[in-house]
Amino acid sequence: MTAIQISATIASRRDSLTLVALPNSAYLARAYSAATIRGWGLVDEEFVDNARLVVSELVTNAIEAAGLSEKQPKLSALLAGESLIRLVLEVPADIDALVIEVWDAHPHAPEPRGEVAFDSLSGRGLALVDALAASWGYRFPKDAPPPWTKVVYALMPLP
């Protein structure tokens, strides 16, 4: 009888979705993220829910940065390249984490708001990302494909 050694290495996985910066795009990004992550075999519900929340907060920030969070944005604003958001999900082969990236065309660095009033409907997004992700940050890649100029990212350790 010959012994066979099986290696359980996770191959790199990467997928992306491009959205127009509309209020319902955060909902679409959450649904896409959950389906993609589960499709990769990561079925721990707490992990999926936390990743979905991080995606939602980062996409919402990109929508607000685009200035298209109102109910009836102008058609000219929607047709501009600056209205696009790119969501990238990746599990690189060399690290044990889900990398979430949200690309947008606005050169403003994201800033946590500090103290937020108890009854406020917004302002907690980056605090939630900070609480759920192992790390997060942003960068302005010099070789970013147009129209994107900034990427905000979060790393979430795999369950």
Side-chain angles (χ1 to χ4, degrees):
M1 180 175 211
T2 308
I4 299 173
Q5 185 175 8
I6 299 173
S7 174
T9 339
I10 296 178
S12 178
R13 297 175 187 261
R14 181 181 174 95
D15 211 344
S16 67
L17 176 69
T18 302
L19 299 159
V20 175
L22 292 170
N24 68 343
S25 293
Y27 167 79
L28 296 172
R30 283 192 305 270
Y32 163 81
S33 298
T36 300
I37 293 165
R38 286 186 185 115
W40 290 343
L42 299 167
V43 294
D44 179 271
E45 281 307 309
E46 182 178 5
F47 177 78
V48 173
D49 287 344
N50 289 344
R52 187 170 38 198
L53 182 55
V54 168
V55 164
S56 181
E57 295 303 332
L58 296 181
V59 168
T60 298
N61 285 351
I63 292 167
E64 289 177 1
L68 298 172
S69 55
E70 69 241 17
K71 296 280 185 205
Q72 296 291 327
K74 294 180 179 162
L75 184 58
S76 60
L78 294 175
L79 296 176
E82 293 80 26
S83 70
L84 296 177
I85 297 169
R86 182 173 183 223
L87 168 64
V88 178
L89 302 173
E90 182 175 16
V91 176
D94 58 341
I95 62 171
D96 236 10
L98 170 67
V99 179
I100 300 167
E101 295 181 339
V102 176
W103 294 72
D104 68 44
H106 300 278
H108 304 292
E111 294 182 29
R113 292 197 186 158
E115 289 294 318
V116 178
F118 176 75
D119 58 348
S120 178
L121 296 177
S122 65
R124 295 178 186 84
L126 291 176
L128 287 170
V129 171
D130 191 53
L132 295 173
S135 65
W136 73 274
Y138 61 91
R139 63 186 186 278
F140 297 96
K142 294 186 188 319
D143 59 347
W148 297 293
T149 59
K150 174 184 73 206
V151 59
V152 182
Y153 60 87
L155 276 78
M156 301 192 65
L158 297 179

